[in-house]
Amino acid sequence: MTIDSYAFQGKKAIVRVDFNVPLDENGHITDDTRIRGAVPTLKKILNDGGALIIMSHMGKPKGKVNAKLSLQQIVPAVSQALGVPVQFAPDCAKAADQAAALKSGEVLLLENLRFYPEEEGKPVGIEKTDPAYDEAKKAMKTAQKEFAKTLASYADCYVNDAFGTAHRKHASTAVIADYFDKDNKMLGYLMEKEVQAVENVLSNIRRPFTAIMGGSKVSTKIGIITNLLNKVDNLIICGGMTYTFMKAMGGTIGTSLCEDEQLQLALDIMEQARQKGINLILASDTVAADRFAEDANTQICPANAIPDGWMGMDIGPDSRERFAKVIEEAKTILWNGPAGVFEMDKFAKGSEAIAQSIAKATANGAYSLIGGGDSVACINKLHLADQVSYISTGGGALLEAIEGKELPGVAAIKG
Ligand code: AMP
């Protein structure tokens, strides 16, 4: 079923959204992007004459009630975004009466799902090494099904629009779907867009396909890098990962970030790229600093010959130029992770150059997908968000989707 073909008139829809918005110490929302992201789906259901039961998690309360993470704080913002009053259910598992009383066009927001350990389905207060752990896990899985069934009982249909948690098999993101038949469950617009964006870079590839992988560690990106080796024409590896590669090839890297246990893996990646005929591009030069600080002394040096006591903090001018050339010729682009410590202006030039090249390529007809918090922050900082094709709202979910893993939140609906 799709959201556009479902008849919401007179129906109650329970919608999983990602309202895990950042709050300041006074409980005020500092960035409402996620609320705005869900509005098209929520308004569509209301405009069609449906009633809405909205559910989300916020933060990591670890199965306990925590007033600082109460969704009650965001009721006014949700109400403003939807243009209608929003009722609040202070206990998400005891909202049957409030849900039953909802009329067409009305909205009920449930309290933070993660106040219940059943949402994540992990046993609490017991270590994995405890002999009773397996038993506790089994009991928790049963309780999780009950919890999901309770949530499902509030509504006639289920909509999942929470891409940020689509890689989790939680009660509200996946288990709940078992309690609706296929004609009464669907993805929301945001989810549809995200799934399509991943599809665009993995299936409908226009070539050359260039992926730019940055960030701090090889170990956290290895799954996606390995998968991309089967897809891309050009793979640019930058950021802190660079120095593990440089060291693996016998270079000297001073005090740069390095994962010594990944040296062989770096060599394996290079060998695989060679065998597959993929153009693997690493930085040639580096902006090295004598300290990890904005006011550090800096020098440009070869990425594989960094003096003792100096650390690579960003790609240098020669690398910026080489990367730009490859990116600007691409027809499909994926960017995840900054080229340097972009949080400090002095070391943001590499990431900025990448962002600008992606915008240029997009203007020339390329499809560009940006995902992962830091590269998104970089695009936003440069006000280039409207000059790329798609900015994903998902961090882990996006990476897992691109690794080729099936997302439980999507599979639960699509089968
Ligand atoms: P990730 O979460 O793995 O995408 O990594 C993002 C982080 O990598 C950012 O906070 C950057 O500051 C950091 N980073 C990028 N390049 C470097 C580098 N050369 N040295 C240390 N950290 C880096």
Side-chain angles (χ1 to χ4, degrees):
M1 180 50 68
T2 68
I3 184 159
D4 277 326
S5 47
Y6 193 80
F8 288 102
Q9 172 64 45
K11 297 276 173 61
K12 291 189 178 102
I14 187 157
V15 188
R16 175 56 155 104
V17 295
D18 180 2
F19 281 175
N20 182 25
V21 288
L23 301 176
D24 66 17
E25 60 280 7
N26 300 317
H28 296 135
I29 298 170
T30 54
D31 179 355
D32 68 349
T33 310
R34 286 181 171 152
I35 294 180
R36 284 188 284 112
V39 164
T41 294
L42 301 176
K43 278 202 169 159
K44 152 83 179 161
I45 297 169
L46 288 178
N47 291 343
D48 283 4
L52 276 179
I53 299 148
I54 308 175
M55 57 178 175
S56 177
H57 75 285
M58 180 185 277
K60 294 184 172 153
K62 303 209 165 116
K64 287 202 194 87
V65 175
N66 176 344
K68 286 209 168 93
L69 297 173
S70 172
L71 287 177
Q72 183 144 31
Q73 302 169 95
I74 69 164
V75 167
V78 178
S79 174
Q80 196 183 11
L82 296 179
V84 293
V86 170
Q87 302 170 41
F88 184 68
D91 186 334
C92 62
K94 296 195 177 95
D97 291 347
Q98 279 174 287
L102 275 188
K103 295 194 195 64
S104 173
E106 291 186 343
V107 182
L108 175 67
L109 175 66
L110 304 184
E111 180 57 289
N112 193 341
L113 295 158
R114 290 194 189 163
F115 285 180
Y116 279 87
E118 288 86 348
E119 165 63 0
E120 294 183 79
K122 274 189 255 156
V124 274
I126 181 162
E127 293 296 321
K128 275 194 177 145
T129 46
D130 194 310
Y133 182 83
D134 283 350
E135 222 21 67
K137 194 170 158 195
K138 228 165 103 191
M140 179 50 86
K141 288 288 163 204
T142 308
Q144 186 183 46
K145 282 187 189 157
E146 275 310 306
F147 180 68
K149 195 173 166 188
T150 301
L151 296 171
S153 71
Y154 301 158
D156 303 299
C157 64
Y158 167 64
V159 183
N160 189 353
D161 211 18
F163 186 69
T165 47
H167 57 318
R168 306 278 181 226
K169 197 170 179 192
H170 291 171
S172 67
T173 61
V175 183
I176 187 173
D178 290 345
Y179 299 97
F180 294 91
D181 63 38
K182 68 176 184 0
D183 295 330
N184 288 301
K185 55 185 170 187
M186 65 216 87
L187 301 179
Y189 288 128
L190 181 63
M191 279 281 258
E192 277 183 354
K193 269 201 305 192
E194 294 275 2
V195 170
Q196 186 58 49
V198 172
E199 193 71 356
N200 284 345
V201 295
L202 291 188
S203 310
N204 314 322
I205 305 170
R206 285 187 298 128
R207 297 191 178 276
F209 178 7
T210 297
I212 307 127
M213 299 302 298
S216 52
K217 292 182 172 173
V218 188
S219 52
T220 58
K221 305 274 163 99
I222 184 61
I224 187 166
I225 289 176
T226 308
N227 189 268
L228 286 173
L229 285 172
N230 296 318
K231 310 266 183 196
V232 296
D233 303 293
N234 305 301
L235 178 59
I236 295 176
I237 293 187
C238 51
M241 289 192 278
T242 309
Y243 311 101
T244 302
F245 283 83
M246 293 301 154
K247 186 165 174 184
M249 288 187 287
T252 51
I253 58 166
T255 50
S256 304
L257 197 65
C258 181
E259 289 175 283
D260 282 324
E261 59 295 350
Q262 307 292 347
L263 294 173
Q264 185 55 45
L265 186 73
L267 292 176
D268 291 348
I269 291 172
M270 294 174 72
E271 176 56 21
Q272 272 186 54
R274 199 187 58 75
Q275 281 177 12
K276 291 176 199 269
I278 289 157
N279 188 19
L280 179 78
I281 304 157
L282 287 156
S284 45
D285 57 350
T286 283
V287 181
D290 59 356
R291 283 180 306 129
F292 190 85
E294 179 83 79
D295 60 353
N297 296 308
T298 62
Q299 60 169 305
I300 309 291
C301 55
N304 61 358
I306 300 176
D308 272 358
W310 291 71
M311 60 179 81
M313 297 283 275
D314 192 10
I315 55 173
D318 183 62
S319 309
R320 291 203 294 268
E321 221 168 279
R322 285 171 49 243
F323 288 9
K325 205 156 167 282
V326 176
I327 296 168
E328 286 166 29
E329 281 169 1
K331 283 284 170 263
T332 303
I333 300 170
L334 169 72
W335 182 25
N336 171 268
V341 184
F342 82 107
E343 295 90 336
M344 302 182 199
D345 282 348
K346 211 175 202 169
F347 309 110
K349 283 205 188 82
S351 305
E352 287 173 11
I354 289 174
Q356 256 138 9
S357 293
I358 295 176
K360 238 190 225 174
T362 312
N364 285 333
Y367 181 85
S368 52
L369 169 59
I370 323 293
D374 285 326
S375 21
V376 175
C378 194
I379 285 276
N380 285 335
K381 193 172 157 195
L382 291 168
H383 306 291
L384 292 173
D386 57 352
Q387 292 178 48
V388 297
S389 308
Y390 192 74
I391 297 185
S392 174
T393 58
L398 178 78
L399 294 189
E400 289 197 16
I402 290 173
E403 272 177 42
K405 289 188 189 156
E406 187 173 62
L407 300 178
V410 178
I413 283 176
K414 299 218 152 175

